[in-house]
Each structure stands twice: as structure tokens, then as C-alpha cells.
């Protein structure tokens, strides 16, 4: 056979393969439809948007064969019960902040972030390359679920108050919305802590049921209208210096997925993790300027408050570690990672930040 004839026939064969086997694969590839419960109202287009990124990318990478429909908080599960419905198998997957479930295991706090912990880049470094994600997945397996980072808020703001906070004594007796280990630290500082989903914070603050509340940062807090219910806005959010939000999947449903779909889901989560942080970084600055023009009073937490909170945070960690072996193992490893990565950041990046922050 002449080379030209061979190539011509080979080309016909390639076309046949693309037009026959492609459709055959498409017809036989497994079709999957999942529901995703989330902890976010639809109005929070960054957090709910992170869930939508996961769903959109999974669908696009499977040519619509694997479709996930995200639902806002309250439609198929209350915002603070996403893990419960995923664990029970009532819904296939969820998008939430795993520190909401420290009542199930205090170790889950590390999956989102802990007071005076890691900033966003450090948190990602710990999860992806410091053994953090493997540790969190071992914990989540006890609750019939698997977890993947799928968004990060960046360093959060320190919350809204009806009156100024000039020292630790001003916190005593306040009713404040805050979840996770940060809430436990606030309790140790004399605060009466409440845990509310995002969609319920404004009414509680506006009606005086609480004296203050934290959520995320300028962009989301403006969306919730928190500036209309309180005047003083504090920083930094020392309890959430780089909060991860997560996609969680019922373990049986995860194991039933084809390997290819598992890898696609993980890739989509990683994209959401990166995109959400970048979106917050782009949107928070103009949102903060709008809040200030509207009359919000921006205040730094007094050093005495930060020092007291840091002392209580360290004491809390040590107390939990003394009682919970799983937590102790994660905390010990996490603390070593934290100290090492802080030394690197202090050597280079923190010095750069210190210099450029006052440049004009």
C-alpha cells in the first residue's frame, strides 16, 4: 500500500472513531444528578457563588453528565445543619464552613480556621502540602463524609458593635454572634455567644436581640445590611484570619462516583477555592470605602483586647488537647507548621508588607 493511500485510510478511520466512539461514550457515560445543600443565602454571591463554581465546572468538564444543583440555606437544610443532612445521606453533598460543627468534633475548627491561626495562603499551604487536608478527611470520615477546600474568605473583619470597644472589660455581658472556637474564646472573655446563620444576623442585630455580630468582611457585610443595624466596625477578625469554606460529600456517594468524576469534582473545588479568595480581595476594598462614606466608624481592636483574646485562645487549645486525643494530634502538628511558616513569612513577606503599607 502506498504511503499516501495509507494516510488517507487512516484519516478516514480517525474520523470514524471520533464520530462513532465519541457518541457511544457519551451515550454510555454515567449520568449523575446531585443536590448540594449550602449554608449561604443566595444574596451572598461570593459564598453561594463558590458553590455555583463547583457545580458549573463539574458540569462543563463532564459535558453535562454530572450535574450538581446548589440550594440556598433553608431550602433543603438549615444553614447550620448541612453536615447533618450530608452525613445522613439525605442530600449528596454540601457547601459549608466546617467549624460550624465543632460540637461534633473540635478538630473540625482547623478545617475552616482558628483564632490567631493561619492567613489564607498559609491555610492553603497547610491543607494542600502540610497534611491538613488528610487530617481533616480522617475526622470527617467519622461523620460519613469527605471534605475538600472550596473557597476562602481571606482575613475577616472583627465584627459590628452598637458601641465602642475600648478594652476587654467592654466585652463582658455583650450578646455577640460568632461560631467556632472563636465563639468559645469570646465566652471566656465574658461575652454571651450566639450562633446564627448568615441570613438571620441582620434581623437579630437590628431588633436588639444581639449587641454585635461578625460575618465575613465589607462586601458580604454590606450585602447583609449589617451597617444599617450597627455603627462600629472593628478589625481584624482575629478569630478567622483565613477562613476556608468546604465542599462536603456523603462518603458512600463519593465512593460510588467513577474515578474520573472524583478527580473532576476535586479540580472544581480547587478552582472555587482560588477564585473565591481573589474575588473577595477585589471586592472588599471598594465595599469598605462605601461603608465609610455611609457613616460606618472603622475601629482597630485595642491591643489589650487582642492580647487577652490571644491568651485565652492558647489556653483553650491546650485544654481541648488535654481531653481529646484526635484534636491533640492535629493541634501538635498544626502548631509546628504554623511556627515554621510564620518564620518564613516574617523573614520576607511581612517585612515587605510593613514597608509598602504606608507608601503613597
Amino acid at each position: 500500500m502506498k504511503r499516501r493511500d495509507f494516510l488517507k485510510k487512516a484519516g478516514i478511520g480517525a474520523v470514524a472513531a471520533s464520530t462513532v466512539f465519541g457518541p457511544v461514550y457519551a451515550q454510555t457515560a454515567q449520568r449523575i444528578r446531585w443536590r448540594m445543600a449550602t449554608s449561604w443565602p443566595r444574596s451572598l454571591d461570593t459564598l453561594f457563588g463558590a458553590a455555583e463554581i463547583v457545580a458549573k465546572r463539574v458540569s462543563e468538564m463532564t459535558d453535562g453528565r454530572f450535574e450538581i444543583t446548589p440550594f440556598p440555606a433553608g431550602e433543603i437544610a438549615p444553614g447550620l445543619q448541612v453536615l447533618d443532612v450530608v452525613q445522613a445521606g439525605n442530600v449528596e453533598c454540601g457547601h459549608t464552613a466546617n467549624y460550624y460543627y465543632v460540637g461534633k468534633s473540635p478538630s473540625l475548627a482547623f478545617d475552616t480556621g482558628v483564632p490567631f491561626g493561619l492567613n489564607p495562603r498559609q491555610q492553603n499551604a497547610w491543607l494542600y502540602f502540610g497534611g491538613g487536608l488528610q487530617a481533616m478527611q480522617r475526622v470527617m470520615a467519622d461523620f460519613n463524609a469527605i471534605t475538600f477546600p472550596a473557597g476562602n474568605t481571606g482575613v475577616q473583619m472583627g465584627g459590628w458593635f452598637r458601641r465602642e470597644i475600648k478594652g476587654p472589660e467592654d466585652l463582658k455581658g455583650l450578646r455577640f454572634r460568632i461560631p467556632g472556637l472563636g465563639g468559645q474564646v469570646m465566652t471566656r472573655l465574658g461575652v454571651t455567644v450566639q450562633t446564627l446563620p448568615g441570613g438571620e444576623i441582620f434581623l437579630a442585630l437590628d431588633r436588639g436581640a444581639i449587641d454585635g455580630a461578625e460575618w465575613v468582611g465589607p462586601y458580604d457585610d454590606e450585602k447583609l445590611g449589617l451597617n444599617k443595624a450597627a455603627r462600629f466596625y472593628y478589625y481584624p477578625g482575629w478569630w478567622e484570619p483565613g477562613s476556608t469554606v468546604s465542599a462536603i460529600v456523603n462518603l458512600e456517594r463519593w465512593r460510588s462516583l467513577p474515578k474520573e468524576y472524583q478527580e473532576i469534582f476535586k479540580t472544581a473545588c480547587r478552582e472555587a477555592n482560588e477564585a473565591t479568595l481573589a474575588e473577595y480581595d477585589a471586592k472588599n476594598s471598594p465595599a469598605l470605602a462605601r461603608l465609610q462614606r455611609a457613616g460606618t466608624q472603622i475601629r482597630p481592636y485595642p491591643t489589650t483586647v487582642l492580647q487577652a483574646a490571644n491568651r485565652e485562645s492558647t489556653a483553650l487549645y491546650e485544654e481541648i488537647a488535654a481531653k481529646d486525643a484526635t484534636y491533640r494530634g492535629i493541634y501538635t502538628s498544626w502548631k509546628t507548621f504554623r511556627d515554621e511558616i510564620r518564620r518564613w513569612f516574617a523573614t520576607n513577606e511581612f517585612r515587605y508588607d510593613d514597608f509598602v503599607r504606608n507608601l503613597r
Side-chain angles (χ1 to χ4, degrees):
M1 181 183 296
K2 293 182 179 179
R3 183 172 181 272
R4 184 178 299 171
D5 293 338
F6 173 80
L7 291 175
K8 186 182 295 185
K9 292 181 179 180
I12 294 172
V15 172
S18 66
T19 58
V20 175
F21 291 105
V24 168
Y25 171 76
Q27 292 168 12
T28 58
Q30 187 173 354
R31 286 183 174 272
I32 296 174
R33 300 290 182 269
W34 277 8
R35 296 180 304 160
M36 174 183 277
T38 79
S39 294
W40 331 116
R42 194 180 295 275
S43 60
L44 294 178
D45 57 350
T46 40
L47 287 171
F48 190 76
E52 291 180 314
I53 288 173
V54 174
K56 179 174 183 290
R57 296 299 288 133
V58 165
S59 178
E60 289 173 343
M61 287 188 280
T62 61
D63 196 25
R65 297 285 152 179
F66 184 7
E67 293 190 355
I68 300 171
T69 303
F71 290 85
E75 287 199 7
I76 57 175
L80 301 182
Q81 295 179 28
V82 172
L83 177 55
D84 299 282
V85 295
V86 171
Q87 178 181 352
N90 296 331
V91 66
E92 293 86 1
C93 62
H95 194 267
T96 187
N98 285 330
Y99 74 162
Y100 289 153
Y101 314 108
V102 293
K104 292 177 179 287
S105 170
S107 299
L108 290 175
F110 291 103
D111 192 65
T112 303
V114 297
F116 300 98
L118 306 175
N119 71 22
R121 282 176 51 202
Q122 295 167 347
Q123 175 78 354
N124 282 334
W126 178 68
L127 285 168
Y128 290 130
F129 296 101
L133 182 55
Q134 293 92 325
M136 292 300 96
Q137 288 179 343
R138 287 194 293 270
V139 175
M140 288 295 285
D142 291 337
F143 305 104
N144 195 33
I146 188 168
T147 184
F148 302 98
N152 194 298
T153 67
V155 181
Q156 296 194 3
M157 287 290 282
W160 299 84
F161 294 84
R162 292 177 174 274
R163 56 182 173 84
E164 290 187 81
I165 305 299
K166 298 179 179 179
E169 64 280 359
D170 292 323
L171 294 172
K172 297 184 185 301
L174 285 182
R175 298 163 299 172
F176 192 74
R177 181 270 175 197
I178 177 173
L181 295 188
Q184 296 184 33
V185 173
M186 278 292 210
T187 297
R188 296 167 73 101
L189 293 172
V191 174
T192 299
V193 167
Q194 295 192 27
T195 302
L196 299 170
E200 298 178 16
I201 297 174
F202 172 77
L203 284 178
L205 188 58
D206 188 54
R207 294 174 179 176
I210 54 178
D211 303 305
E214 63 81 43
W215 179 241
V216 173
Y219 182 74
D220 275 3
D221 292 4
E222 182 187 39
K223 284 270 187 179
L224 292 180
L226 301 185
N227 58 307
K228 299 174 183 177
R231 178 184 177 191
F232 297 101
Y233 197 23
Y234 277 81
Y235 68 91
W238 46 265
W239 48 81
E240 294 187 54
S243 299
T244 301
V245 292
S246 301
I248 59 175
V249 183
N250 177 273
L251 202 51
E252 282 82 13
R253 296 302 182 101
W254 176 255
R255 289 169 176 163
S256 71
L257 278 182
K259 177 67 174 177
E260 178 186 7
Y261 285 6
Q262 289 181 350
E263 293 304 315
I264 286 171
F265 186 91
K266 289 190 286 186
T267 299
C269 288
R270 196 146 182 167
E271 182 175 330
N273 196 39
E274 177 182 344
T276 305
L277 177 59
E279 185 175 2
Y280 272 118
D281 284 341
K283 290 181 174 179
N284 275 330
S285 181
L288 183 63
R290 289 193 299 270
L291 290 171
Q292 288 180 291
R293 288 195 298 269
T296 295
Q297 300 297 305
I298 310 297
R299 296 284 189 272
Y301 270 117
T303 300
T304 53
V305 170
L306 295 177
Q307 290 171 336
N310 185 51
R311 285 195 301 271
E312 292 299 338
S313 297
T314 302
L316 175 64
Y317 301 155
E318 297 295 336
E319 289 176 14
I320 298 174
K323 298 182 291 187
D324 188 312
T326 299
Y327 177 97
R328 181 167 61 251
I330 295 171
Y331 173 57
T332 300
S333 174
W334 172 90
K335 185 167 60 171
T336 299
F337 184 92
R338 178 200 64 186
D339 294 345
E340 289 176 349
I341 201 167
R342 278 182 178 173
R343 280 195 293 272
W344 160 237
F345 271 65
T347 299
N348 187 28
E349 189 155 338
F350 292 163
R351 177 71 182 99
Y352 174 80
D353 290 343
D354 284 342
F355 178 76
V356 300
R357 65 181 176 179
N358 293 317
L359 291 180
R360 293 292 184 270

